[in-house]
Amino acid sequence: ATLFTVYDLINDPTYRKKVVATLTDENKRNWWATDYLSAKAANSFQVRRTLRMRSRYEVSNNPYLFGVCNNNADDLIDSGPTLQVQTKDPAYNRAVEAAWAEWCAEVNLTEKLRTCKLARTVDGEGFLVLKTVGDLENPVKLYPCDLEADQVTTPAPQTAAEYWVDGLTLHPVTGRPVKYHVLNQHPGDYFFPDLNPLSVQTYQARHVIHWFPKFRPGQVRGVPVFTPALDLFTELRAFRRSTIKAAAVAASYTAVLESNLPGADEGDAEYEPFKAVPIDNGMQVVLPNGFKMSQFDAKHPTTTYEMFQTACLGEACRPLSYPLNLALGSSQKFNFSSSKLDIVNYRSSLRNERGECDRVVLALE
C-alpha cells in the first residue's frame, strides 16, 4: 500500500509541478542557464552572430552535417518552381510559361532559392532583396539579390527601437517589419569600395524576402536550425579523434620499462625515470638486467564508436526531421518498412516547409 501511494504521488501532475518549481539545489544546477528574456532579447545581435559562426563551422567541417544540409535543400527545392497557366487559350498559356522559364533561367531562380534555403538552415534566416536591373535581356527587370544575415543590421542606431531590434524597423501595432537596414558590403569582407564598412541602405519591407523559422511569439530574427545540436557535433568530433589516437597508440610499439634495481630512482642509472627509450619497429630488444618491459595498453571503448556516432547523428538531425538512414547515407541496418516509415515524417515536414516557401518567398505581389 505504501509503494502504491508513493507511485501515485510521483505520477501526480500537481506534485511534479511543485517539485520542478521548487528552488532546490539540484533544480538550480539543472536549470542554472534559464532566463526570462523575450524572443527579441534572446536572439540579440551577439547571440545570433556567435551561433551563425559556430553553425557555419560545423557544417563546413562535418561531412555528415554538410550532406544533410545539401540534401535537405535539394529535396525541398528540387529542380525549382514551375508555372502552369490554365486559361482557355493554349497558345497564350505556352507563351507565358516560356517567358517565365526564360526569366527564371536568367536570374538563376532555382539556385537563389536553394541558397536561401541553406541560409535558413545554417544561418537561421535567408534574405533576398528584390531590385530592378535594367540591363537584363528579359523584359521583366526584376532581379532577386541574395545576401547573408550578417549584412542585415543597424550599425549606428539612432533610436532605442533600432538598437533593440537589430536591422529592422517594426510596425508599432502589428510588429511586422516595415524597413530593413542592409550593409552595402559584408562586414567580413577584406575590401570595401567606398572605404566605409558601415555604409547602409534602407529597403522597404515589400522589397525584401525574409525567410526564417519562427519559434516564439514576437520573434523577428532567426537562429540556426541546429542550435540545439551544435555541441553534439563537437562531441562527435572529439570522440572520433580520441578513438583514432587510441588505435594509433595500440598499433605502435609503445612500451613501459619497469625497474627493480636499487637506486634506479636516484639519477645514477643509465635509464632514469621518465626517460624515453627508442624501440625500432620489427626488432626484438634485449633489456638490461633488472628491467622489465610491458606493452602500453591503450584501453579505449573503440567498439562503441559506431554506436555513439549513430545515436549522436540521430539526435542531431531531429531539428530538420531528417531520418537517420538518410543522414548516414546507408540503410543497410534498417529494414524496408522501418526506412519507409521514417521518411514519412520527413516528407510531411518538406510539404509544410515547401508551402511556407510558396507563401513567403514566391508569393510576389
Side-chain angles (χ1 to χ4, degrees):
T2 304
L3 292 178
F4 183 76
T5 304
V6 173
Y7 177 81
D8 290 344
L9 183 63
I10 294 176
N11 288 273
D12 180 46
T14 305
Y15 173 78
R16 291 201 301 270
K17 291 180 181 178
K18 291 180 179 179
V19 172
V20 172
T22 303
L23 295 179
T24 62
D25 293 338
E26 183 178 359
N27 288 349
K28 290 180 181 179
R29 289 192 297 269
N30 291 336
W31 293 292
W32 67 271
T34 57
D35 57 63
Y36 196 64
L37 300 176
S38 66
K40 298 183 183 68
N43 298 338
S44 62
F45 167 80
Q46 188 63 36
V47 170
R48 289 183 289 103
R49 180 174 179 268
T50 302
L51 291 176
R52 282 197 303 265
M53 292 189 298
R54 294 179 179 179
S55 179
R56 291 169 184 168
Y57 178 85
E58 293 298 334
V59 173
S60 301
N61 293 275
N62 190 298
Y64 284 107
L65 187 57
F66 184 85
V68 166
C69 293
N70 280 278
N71 291 340
N72 178 246
D74 292 337
D75 294 338
L76 182 71
I77 304 302
D78 198 22
S79 59
T82 57
L83 179 66
Q84 185 177 10
V85 185
Q86 297 180 340
T87 65
K88 296 181 179 180
D89 188 352
Y92 174 80
N93 297 344
R94 290 192 297 269
V96 174
E97 292 173 358
W100 159 265
E102 292 175 359
W103 177 79
C104 291
E106 186 171 6
V107 302
N108 209 350
L109 182 62
T110 302
E111 181 185 353
K112 295 293 178 62
L113 293 177
R114 188 177 183 276
T115 305
C116 189
K117 160 59 183 171
L118 285 173
R120 181 184 186 270
T121 302
V122 180
D123 297 346
E125 46 192 353
F127 287 94
L128 291 173
V129 178
L130 305 178
K131 296 184 178 181
T132 301
V133 180
D135 56 355
L136 292 179
E137 297 181 1
N138 196 280
V140 179
K141 306 302 180 181
L142 180 66
Y143 190 89
C145 299
D146 51 353
L147 54 91
E148 286 195 306
D150 306 78
Q151 294 180 243
V152 183
T153 184
T154 307
Q158 302 296 326
T159 63
E162 292 181 354
Y163 177 80
W164 183 246
V165 183
D166 180 60
L168 282 69
T169 300
L170 303 180
H171 192 276
V173 178
T174 63
R176 300 176 60 181
V178 177
K179 298 179 181 179
Y180 286 86
H181 311 283
V182 181
L183 295 176
N184 292 328
Q185 301 293 328
H186 193 283
D189 282 341
Y190 291 106
F191 173 72
F192 300 95
D194 54 358
L195 302 180
N196 182 14
L198 300 181
S199 60
V200 64
Q201 290 188 9
T202 302
Y203 296 92
Q204 297 295 325
R206 64 177 180 272
H207 298 150
V208 178
I209 296 175
H210 185 193
W211 189 20
F212 70 97
K214 186 175 182 179
F215 187 73
R216 295 179 58 182
Q219 181 179 349
V220 294
R221 298 297 299 265
V223 295
V225 175
F226 292 103
T227 296
L230 288 178
D231 60 329
L232 295 177
F233 296 107
T234 60
E235 293 172 358
L236 180 60
R237 183 165 56 250
F239 195 90
R240 182 179 68 241
R241 290 175 179 173
S242 300
T243 303
I244 295 176
K245 184 180 295 185
V249 171
S252 62
Y253 288 100
T254 305
V256 178
L257 287 177
E258 300 178 3
S259 175
N260 55 5
L261 294 177
D265 296 337
E266 298 177 358
D268 56 352
E270 180 180 359
Y271 300 99
E272 300 178 0
F274 304 106
K275 182 179 180 180
V277 180
I279 302 177
D280 295 333
N281 292 335
M283 301 294 293
Q284 291 184 351
V285 180
V286 179
L287 299 178
N289 186 26
F291 282 87
K292 176 184 178 182
M293 183 174 66
S294 60
Q295 179 78 17
F296 181 78
D297 189 6
K299 294 182 178 179
H300 192 76
T302 56
T303 56
T304 64
Y305 172 73
E306 185 176 0
M307 183 185 304
F308 176 79
Q309 180 190 58
T310 302
C312 186
L313 285 177
E315 183 178 355
C317 294
R318 281 302 303 159
L320 275 182
S321 300
Y322 205 79
L324 179 59
N325 59 330
L326 295 183
L328 293 173
S330 174
S331 299
Q332 61 180 355
K333 295 184 179 181
F334 305 86
N335 55 49
F336 178 78
S337 59
S338 62
S339 299
K340 187 175 182 180
L341 183 62
D342 293 340
I343 296 178
V344 170
N345 184 38
Y346 175 59
R347 289 179 176 176
S348 177
S349 176
L350 286 177
R351 285 194 299 268
N352 295 334
E353 192 172 3
R354 191 173 292 118
E356 181 184 358
C357 180
D358 294 338
R359 297 188 304 269
V360 176
V361 182
L362 298 177
L364 304 180
E365 299 180 358

